[in-house]
Amino acid sequence: MSVISELSKIRNIGITAHIDAGKTTTTERILYYTGVSHRIGEVHEGNTTTDYMDQERERGITITSATVTCEWKDHRINIIDTPGHIDFNIEVNRSLRVLDGAVFIIEGVAGVQPQSETNWRLADRYRVPRIIFINKLDRTGADFYRAFDTLKEKLDIIALPLQLPIGIEENFVGVVDLVEMRAIVWEGGELGAKFNYQDIPADLKERADEARQLLLDTALAADNEAMEEYFEKGDVAVATLKRAIKKGAISGEFRPVLCGTAFKNKGVQPLLDAVLDYLPAPDEVEGIRVAAEEGHEDEDPTLRRLIKIDPQAPFAGLAFKIINDKYGTLTFVRVYSGTLKSGDMVMNTTKDHKERIGRMFQMHADKRAEIKEVTAGDIAAFVGLKDTGTGDTLAAADDQVILERMAFPVPVIDISVEPRTKDAVEKMTLALQKLAGEDPSLRLKTDQETGQTILSGMGELHLEIIIDRLRREYGVDANIGAPQVAYRETISKPHTETYTHKKQSGGSGQYAEVKIVFEPLERNAGIVFENKVVGGTVPKEYIPAVEKGIRMQSSTGVLAGFQTVDFKYTLTDGKYHDVDSSALAFEIAAKACFREGMKKASPVILEPIMDVEVTTPQDHVGDVVGDLNRRRGMIQNQESSGSTVLVRAQVPLKEMFGYISHLRSMTKGRASFTMQFHHYDPVPRNIADEIMSKSA
């Protein structure tokens, strides 16, 4: 592939949509028409370029975003094909972070679907210019105008059609180009490579004229010079109109809409033209801001320094994706400024250490072409970086900037993982660390109480894929289990217990007596010890042994063996023996006093209560609230924001396992939730009995 180095001739774009709207199919057509592929891969045949993982080909879905590069009309287009499934939203998140533009594919039958809404909000957050392609117009039930209406309803945008369909469903043959006011009709055969320009069909002429007038009124408002030309001449040149559309698309004043059917090979070439005409080159976007300093996260971002896309400036790039493959670790980097050659030294300013740049590659899905330098505006993969993770900044030593970080989603579902054989423990740990390094939405931790390795992810499919990769790529077979809830125990009334420890069996004996008052404390107060011994009934040197004994014993409660918390114990009296007493004897007496005394202080089991926030469309609020009530949740409040409602509740952790799948099915995938620990509360009697019978 020839090297195109002029910034104005590069486009970095993402292709994003709801699951099964046709992202990968559209990407395949683009690669075919640009001459990168000599055949068109199909998702249902499992032979597409960008879905190269076994798991993707078997399931017919995109799991990891893939980068491919192609050329169209003397321009280089770097494309990232992203997943549509909510569980892999991190891939869309990090791709949109580093792209200059995006093509949103909307399904011609269903219109805007939930994941399109989520991805659209992400693109809003990162201020990504975008164009919309209404796809699958050949399908039964397709309706361009109905799908178009959902853009306004669900995304709350000014959508501007640049094309109208000619025919619909099986009669779809082409589009009316409203910019040049002509029809584009595809010929049969030749896999859609051949099309011709015709006059607009008579039955569409009136509608096309109306749509053209709307296009002029809306687009020219974004460009004063174009507006003046229109008033002078009564029309504008095609180049002027395209300039105005590009200006409005980049500023977000309106969103250009095209249409077609990628699967039937109609509409893709004009979409490629639109990418060149209306999406920005790297030097036409504002650049990237430096990260906020600690403690200043809430300040206005426009006050922070802006790094402009400039090949002559000091180097700055953002690592946005890590892949471990058979050749080692590949770090994908979007270069924002400067130029970098193999062998150069840069700073990882996020972690404050140096990295030497080894080999660099231009990626084509899972294939690679080595390059000797990268420059501002490029996306490349580096091999051999020692400790650079997703979201880290690489920068020149003489200008150590830290670029705006990405926002990562919080994992919402946990499983426990253990290898089937003892020998595989280390192998599994290393493999999971590598997988978590690739995927920031995957978290790994060891539960200190149960000893389980807990894997947290975005959903059941996400974790299923991780376990599958663990088996195939790293050769580790693992048993998967639901994690245990970390319960606690405490007491609910004061009690005074006296315990005497006596042991006489030849040689020196053991003797210690302690009198301890146990009292409940408020939640999260911990364990408090007080010594109120007077008159030396327990010698000073034995007091620490009493404190240690109780603290050690509190790790195993009297009801079900869980840690005991939130109580005060006061040593008020005791007895000792000149010969037989020792620190060990007092420690043993304290432990036994705890076991006996706690049973009489009305012990209870506590469970973790989570702060849960559910964001749901208005029409599902009743279902969500009813379901949280059934889960023993206490609704705290509800806040409306546009068409969505934020429901806040406190719910026991035990009731939240598997919640994400249930929430999605209940709200057709449109709701999401976050959850974090809030406090411990006593469990109801029936659940306490169930826990105790299990522990017995």
Side-chain angles (χ1 to χ4, degrees), residues 645-666:
V645 177
L646 183 68
V647 180
R648 289 196 179 87
Q650 290 183 348
V651 192
L653 175 62
K654 177 182 189 291
E655 307 296 340
M656 292 303 289
F657 290 140
Y659 179 63
I660 187 69
S661 307
H662 185 75
L663 178 68
R664 282 183 195 151
S665 64
M666 186 168 57

Side-chain angles (χ1 to χ4, degrees), residues 401-458:
V401 296
I402 298 178
L403 302 177
E404 254 182 348
R405 294 177 178 86
M406 301 182 208
F408 296 132
V410 180
V412 291
I413 188 165
D414 301 348
I415 53 170
S416 63
V417 195
E418 54 183 47
R420 296 211 170 134
T421 60
K422 286 268 192 316
D423 313 340
V425 172
E426 196 176 334
K427 198 173 169 188
M428 183 189 83
T429 307
L430 284 172
L432 286 175
Q433 282 169 354
K434 278 188 174 178
L435 288 166
E438 282 184 22
D439 183 350
S441 63
L442 190 69
R443 305 277 164 85
L444 191 61
K445 67 169 191 259
T446 303
D447 188 315
Q448 298 301 329
E449 297 181 10
T450 63
Q452 291 176 306
T453 298
I454 304 292
L455 205 55
S456 309
M458 298 309 297

Side-chain angles (χ1 to χ4, degrees), residues 77-269:
I77 307 177
N78 296 319
I79 303 171
I80 298 185
D81 174 29
T82 62
H85 198 288
I86 182 78
D87 283 13
F88 309 107
N89 190 249
I90 179 68
E91 293 290 342
V92 185
N93 188 331
R94 56 179 164 197
S95 301
L96 287 172
R97 180 74 201 81
V98 298
L99 291 169
D100 303 322
V103 176
F104 266 74
I105 296 183
I106 302 297
E107 222 251 13
V109 180
V112 174
Q113 292 164 285
Q115 194 56 26
S116 310
E117 290 180 60
T118 307
N119 294 350
W120 192 271
R121 287 197 289 271
L122 268 177
D124 280 341
R125 177 196 290 168
Y126 296 133
R127 301 183 294 283
V128 180
R130 56 215 101 136
I131 57 178
I132 294 165
F133 182 68
I134 296 182
N135 189 27
K136 299 197 175 186
L137 290 182
D138 61 303
R139 281 188 58 194
T140 305
D143 184 337
F144 170 81
Y145 300 99
R146 188 178 65 224
F148 183 85
D149 288 342
T150 65
L151 296 171
K152 175 79 189 87
E153 283 166 33
K154 300 205 173 153
L155 303 179
D156 194 23
I157 57 170
I158 296 171
L160 186 61
L162 306 188
Q163 297 174 346
L164 299 178
I166 302 173
I168 202 73
E169 299 181 353
E170 73 273 14
N171 299 318
F172 178 80
V173 292
V175 297
V176 173
D177 176 356
L178 299 171
V179 176
E180 304 202 27
M181 283 308 274
R182 62 187 179 181
I184 307 173
V185 178
W186 275 263
E187 296 175 13
E190 291 298 315
L191 293 174
K194 286 193 177 166
F195 53 87
N196 50 59
Y197 299 111
Q198 301 175 2
D199 290 335
I200 297 170
D203 60 332
L204 280 174
K205 191 81 182 78
E206 193 181 326
R207 188 167 228 171
D209 288 338
E210 281 175 27
R212 163 79 176 187
Q213 194 55 51
L214 172 70
L215 172 59
L216 291 170
D217 294 346
T218 312
L220 300 184
D223 188 321
N224 292 336
E225 286 174 31
M227 187 65 93
E228 281 170 26
E229 183 184 322
Y230 179 63
F231 284 140
E232 277 173 29
K233 299 179 182 173
D235 203 352
V236 288
V238 167
T240 307
L241 180 53
K242 285 184 174 178
R243 187 186 74 217
I245 295 170
K246 183 171 188 173
K247 211 167 177 180
I250 292 175
S251 68
E253 283 179 52
F254 52 80
R255 306 295 181 187
V257 181
L258 297 92
C259 62
T261 163
F263 183 57
K264 293 289 171 69
N265 314 312
K266 296 181 177 83
V268 177
Q269 295 95 330

Side-chain angles (χ1 to χ4, degrees), residues 319-508:
F320 68 95
K321 185 175 167 70
I322 312 288
I323 290 181
N324 294 297
D325 69 4
K326 56 186 182 230
Y327 305 109
T329 302
L330 273 179
T331 308
F332 285 76
V333 175
R334 165 67 203 265
V335 182
Y336 284 97
S337 72
T339 301
L340 199 63
K341 293 182 170 66
S342 295
D344 285 357
M345 218 48 176
V346 292
M347 284 296 294
N348 178 327
T349 50
T350 312
K351 293 183 177 146
D352 197 25
H353 68 82
K354 288 181 179 170
E355 290 274 23
R356 180 176 291 285
I357 304 301
R359 298 166 75 196
M360 300 188 289
F361 294 98
Q362 189 112 62
M363 295 303 292
H364 184 68
D366 56 341
K367 299 177 179 62
R368 52 182 77 186
E370 188 160 359
I371 50 177
K372 291 302 175 195
E373 71 169 35
V374 289
T375 186
D378 264 336
I379 292 175
F382 297 176
V383 175
L385 298 188
K386 289 187 174 62
D387 183 24
T388 295
T390 300
D392 287 0
T393 299
L394 296 174
D398 56 352
D399 187 14
Q400 297 189 20
V401 296
I402 298 178
L403 302 177
E404 254 182 348
R405 294 177 178 86
M406 301 182 208
F408 296 132
V410 180
V412 291
I413 188 165
D414 301 348
I415 53 170
S416 63
V417 195
E418 54 183 47
R420 296 211 170 134
T421 60
K422 286 268 192 316
D423 313 340
V425 172
E426 196 176 334
K427 198 173 169 188
M428 183 189 83
T429 307
L430 284 172
L432 286 175
Q433 282 169 354
K434 278 188 174 178
L435 288 166
E438 282 184 22
D439 183 350
S441 63
L442 190 69
R443 305 277 164 85
L444 191 61
K445 67 169 191 259
T446 303
D447 188 315
Q448 298 301 329
E449 297 181 10
T450 63
Q452 291 176 306
T453 298
I454 304 292
L455 205 55
S456 309
M458 298 309 297
E460 284 165 43
L461 178 63
H462 183 204
L463 293 173
E464 183 191 316
I465 298 288
I466 294 296
I467 297 305
D468 194 35
R469 289 187 62 193
L470 196 61
R471 182 171 56 81
R472 293 193 201 194
E473 293 170 33
Y474 297 96
V476 178
D477 263 339
N479 292 322
I480 311 304
Q484 301 168 14
V485 177
Y487 292 106
R488 297 277 188 271
E489 297 183 19
T490 192
I491 51 174
S492 50
K493 71 172 194 191
H495 173 72
T496 304
E497 181 72 22
T498 305
Y499 187 86
T500 308
H501 170 63
K502 269 196 289 198
K503 191 180 173 199
Q504 300 290 151
S505 55
S508 62

